[in-house]
Amino acid sequence: MISTIIKNLKSDLSKREEEVLDLRFGLKGQRKSLSEIGRKYGITRERVRQIQNKILKNLGTKIKESLELKPIFKAIDKAFKETNDFKILDSLFDDLKIKYSLDEKEKPYLYLLLSIIPEIEKIKADDFHHQFFVKNIKSKKIKTFFHHISFHFENKKLKWQDFVAEVKKEFEKVTNEKLNEKTIEEILLISHHLWVNPFNEAGHLSSPFIVPKNTGHKILSIFYYHNRPLHYKEIYEELLKIAQKHHRLIHPNWKEVPTLPTIHNELIFRPEFVIAGRGLYALKEWNYSGLFVKDLILEILENSKKPISQDELIKLVLGKKLVKPNTVKVILHQLKDKIKILPNGLISL
């Protein structure tokens, strides 16, 4: 729809003017820089800028006066108001595409419209945020906000509701205005540094629980989320589900699924994990033992200041390993040459 209207409005441009417009805004492919276009025509980038500005001035008047585009401009204005007057191009396109039957080919034309609206300013991408558009009366405050949160949330991982409350507080502190609920997703889309993980938490990419740097970080996150020992195959299945449910607010690192042997090796060799049962692993900090059951029995007896009953010994073993009581009894029988069973039934070394 937008493309058809604009194509009609630019029909009186010269061939070179139309080509410059197409290349600069990617109307027929990838957007080109002023320098790239200048090299194509053997002119300076400043001359390309002059041609571009002349085109936008003349075409912009026609576009702003177009009755067919008025509903689009109203929809754009409404979308900006819903997210505190700033938007990333992709999310604005998503807001409009169903109502106005837009496909991906229309996106460059929407980019052109935003570049023509005098109240809207394009903010170039930098180390803190992607390129986005903002009502120019707020541009300085909004850009400052994105720089601010990049440092404020460093190394932080918060539950979703706590994260939302923190973002709202910082936004009001920097901009002196209330943050709309819908703006939270916009901030996540625009910021280079803020992400969501698959466990209803959000925070800074410097946190390994938000953006895992390796397989071990992913396993740790899963353990902390479930808060119980897990079979290594269960961890693999969990990572497969996460990859299948991945969306654009979750960092791409979560979409990469390590192989089952890789997961098993991490569980075996990383010191944070201990084997808690047959194929079952736990966090060492949960006080599970990585010893085999027979070695654990001997360790318990060695550390005990007095002989202990079989029931008490089994209870102590089950507190450190996820095995059945009968398994402990069988292994006690296997250890008969290394332990003493006293006349009263108590056991010692």
Side-chain angles (χ1 to χ4, degrees):
M1 177 184 176
I2 300 175
S3 58
T4 304
I5 298 168
I6 291 179
K7 282 174 184 176
N8 291 333
L9 292 174
K10 69 185 180 81
S11 59
D12 60 348
L13 294 177
S14 70
K15 184 179 178 182
R16 187 169 78 165
E17 285 176 335
E18 186 168 3
E19 284 181 351
V20 167
L21 187 73
D22 290 347
L23 291 170
R24 193 72 183 102
F25 290 90
L27 303 184
K28 292 182 179 178
Q30 189 176 1
R31 293 200 294 267
K32 301 294 183 183
S33 69
L34 295 171
S35 297
E36 288 172 320
I37 298 170
R39 285 195 293 272
K40 176 179 172 65
Y41 292 104
I43 56 179
T44 65
R45 67 190 306 276
E46 185 54 37
R47 180 59 186 141
V48 177
R49 189 195 304 279
Q50 290 170 4
I51 295 170
Q52 172 191 286
N53 291 343
K54 179 187 172 186
I55 296 167
L56 292 181
K57 183 179 178 181
N58 296 332
L59 184 62
T61 301
K62 292 181 181 180
I63 287 175
K64 284 180 281 186
E65 291 175 353
S66 168
L67 293 176
E68 293 176 286
L69 286 173
K70 281 191 182 297
I72 299 285
F73 282 123
K74 284 184 179 178
I76 289 172
D77 188 58
K78 182 186 176 195
F80 269 77
K81 285 177 180 175
E82 288 175 345
T83 55
N84 289 90
D85 296 318
F86 61 93
K87 298 286 291 184
I88 196 168
L89 178 65
D90 286 349
S91 70
L92 178 62
F93 178 78
D94 289 344
D95 288 343
L96 303 181
K97 68 180 179 182
I98 296 175
K99 185 175 181 180
Y100 295 100
S101 303
L102 306 181
D103 59 30
E104 284 293 320
K105 293 178 182 178
E106 302 271 352
K107 195 178 287 185
Y109 291 90
L110 181 59
Y111 179 79
L112 174 59
L113 285 188
L114 291 173
S115 302
I116 285 171
I117 299 171
E119 298 83 12
I120 291 178
E121 179 181 344
K122 179 178 73 177
I123 305 296
K124 292 181 180 179
D126 63 15
D127 291 339
F128 305 97
H129 54 73
H130 298 283
Q131 176 183 278
F132 67 97
F133 293 85
V134 59
K135 293 287 182 71
N136 48 31
I137 59 170
K138 296 183 178 180
S139 62
K140 186 176 180 181
K141 285 184 177 180
I142 299 302
K143 189 170 182 180
T144 299
F145 168 73
F146 279 105
H147 287 222
H148 169 72
I149 58 172
S150 295
F151 296 105
H152 177 81
F153 282 93
E154 197 164 3
N155 295 314
K156 284 187 179 181
K157 170 191 72 82
L158 300 169
K159 290 181 180 178
W160 175 250
Q161 290 304 320
D162 295 335
F163 173 78
V164 170
E166 188 81 2
V167 172
K168 285 182 175 180
K169 184 182 77 174
E170 295 307 310
F171 186 81
E172 187 170 354
K173 185 198 301 184
V174 174
T175 68
N176 201 31
E177 71 175 282
K178 298 284 185 184
L179 186 72
N180 297 334
E181 197 72 31
K182 198 172 179 181
T183 312
I184 298 291
E185 182 172 334
E186 206 69 31
I187 289 168
L188 286 163
L189 288 171
I190 293 171
S191 173
H192 279 317
H193 294 158
L194 299 186
W195 294 88
V196 174
N197 73 12
F199 312 115
N200 202 32
E201 296 171 326
H204 198 274
L205 59 76
S206 55
S207 167
F209 303 109
I210 297 297
V211 179
K213 310 302 186 292
N214 52 50
T215 300
H217 291 159
K218 292 179 183 180
I219 297 172
L220 273 170
S221 297
I222 290 171
F223 272 124
Y224 283 130
Y225 177 69
H226 288 283
N227 199 32
R228 63 175 175 82
L230 297 164
H231 195 281
Y232 69 93
K233 290 183 179 178
E234 192 177 357
I235 294 169
Y236 177 66
E237 292 296 326
E238 178 81 3
L239 287 170
L240 282 177
K241 289 177 187 175
I242 287 169
Q244 289 162 3
K245 293 179 179 179
H246 185 274
H247 56 76
R248 61 186 182 177
L249 299 183
I250 297 175
H251 194 275
N253 283 10
W254 283 105
K255 202 170 183 179
E256 300 166 9
V257 181
T259 63
L260 194 59
T262 299
I263 292 169
H264 205 185
N265 285 339
E266 288 287 311
L267 290 164
I268 292 169
F269 296 112
R270 283 185 70 125
E272 301 99 317
F273 312 121
V274 294
I275 188 163
R278 189 179 293 272
L280 286 165
Y281 290 83
L283 292 178
K284 190 174 184 179
E285 65 189 61
W286 291 345
N287 210 28
Y288 284 91
S289 173
L291 296 174
F292 292 113
V293 174
K294 65 175 183 177
D295 296 322
L296 178 58
I297 290 171
L298 294 173
E299 180 183 79
I300 291 170
L301 291 173
E302 185 178 351
N303 293 333
S304 178
K305 294 179 181 179
K306 58 181 181 179
I308 55 178
S309 68
Q310 178 176 281
D311 289 344
E312 185 181 356
L313 181 57
I314 290 172
K315 184 179 178 181
L316 290 170
V317 171
L318 298 186
K320 297 279 188 178
K321 301 292 287 187
L322 295 175
V323 293
K324 295 178 180 178
N326 281 342
T327 300
V328 182
K329 291 178 181 178
V330 169
I331 293 174
L332 277 172
H333 180 72
Q334 293 171 355
L335 288 171
K336 60 184 180 180
D337 293 335
K338 295 186 177 182
I339 62 174
K340 294 179 182 177
I341 299 178
L342 304 178
N344 59 4
L346 297 179
I347 303 170
S348 69
L349 285 179

